Amino acid sequence: NATDSESPTSLPGYMIAMQQGTILFRGHDLDGAISRFREAIAMEPNCAICHRALADTLAQKGDRTAAITEYQEVVRVEPDNPEHHFMLAAQLEAEAATQAYADYRFDPKTRSSRPGSAATGKAARSNYESALEQYRLAHQLAPGNKSYKEAYERVQRQLRHR
């Protein structure tokens, strides 16, 4: 009897974990999928599709901070793929927008919004700048992609108004 590692037709362990994670993701078991994708990454740390699956799942779950970290890994592993830069930029832009929105507080006395903390505003600007750079890279790698160009221009406008 040949073991999985000896059989030339068997899948590597990280691919089995990826398949299991994909099945769990499709079944809406995001925590289970995250666990399997992390197992795959532990077995194959430079697997771009493993990091991308984990990043997408974390984003779907709403864990934007962890998703950003994982998309950064995807870009590190496969820096010439414009879609990876675009997905990282989209998460950074969403985080910046959340921070910018949180930066304003409603003042019931004046019945108007007023700026919040300078630190939150600075964090929002930093994330917008990081998003702009990632959109720029995506557009540079795929200059014919209209979505990349439009996203880049949108964040440029956002930064001009901050």
Side-chain angles (χ1 to χ4, degrees):
N1 281 342
T3 64
D4 284 353
S5 62
E6 295 170 350
S7 173
T9 58
S10 70
L11 290 174
Y14 80 96
M15 287 304 297
I16 293 169
M18 282 294 298
Q19 286 181 335
Q20 292 169 342
T22 301
I23 291 166
L24 291 166
F25 179 85
R26 289 180 182 154
H28 305 288
D29 180 357
L30 300 182
D31 290 328
I34 288 167
S35 176
R36 292 297 184 273
F37 295 144
R38 285 190 169 135
E39 287 176 22
I41 291 167
M43 290 182 250
E44 191 67 33
N46 290 321
C47 173
I49 62 168
C50 300
H51 285 286
R52 176 65 189 262
L54 178 56
D56 290 346
T57 306
L58 290 164
Q60 178 74 25
K61 186 178 176 187
D63 189 347
R64 193 177 296 134
T65 301
I68 288 170
T69 299
E70 212 48 50
Y71 281 119
Q72 288 168 332
E73 279 299 300
V74 176
V75 166
R76 179 191 65 76
V77 172
E78 204 170 82
D80 294 333
N81 186 322
E83 182 67 15
H84 299 332
H85 291 280
F86 182 81
M87 294 304 293
L88 173 56
Q91 291 297 312
L92 289 163
E93 182 183 6
E95 183 65 13
T98 299
Q99 291 166 328
Y101 179 75
D103 192 37
Y104 285 89
R105 304 282 183 248
F106 181 73
D107 184 346
K109 292 180 184 175
T110 63
R111 293 184 178 218
S112 64
S113 293
R114 59 183 171 76
S117 76
T120 305
K122 190 174 184 177
R125 180 166 189 82
S126 175
N127 278 322
Y128 275 127
E129 289 170 349
S130 295
L132 183 68
E133 176 61 12
Q134 292 303 314
Y135 283 138
R136 183 191 69 73
L137 289 167
H139 178 58
Q140 180 181 325
L141 290 165
N145 187 308
K146 187 177 177 185
S147 296
Y148 298 168
K149 181 180 180 187
E150 289 172 353
Y152 177 78
E153 291 171 349
R154 179 183 61 245
V155 174
Q156 268 188 325
R157 285 190 302 276
Q158 192 65 248
L159 281 167
R160 277 196 298 267
H161 291 93
R162 293 208 127 262

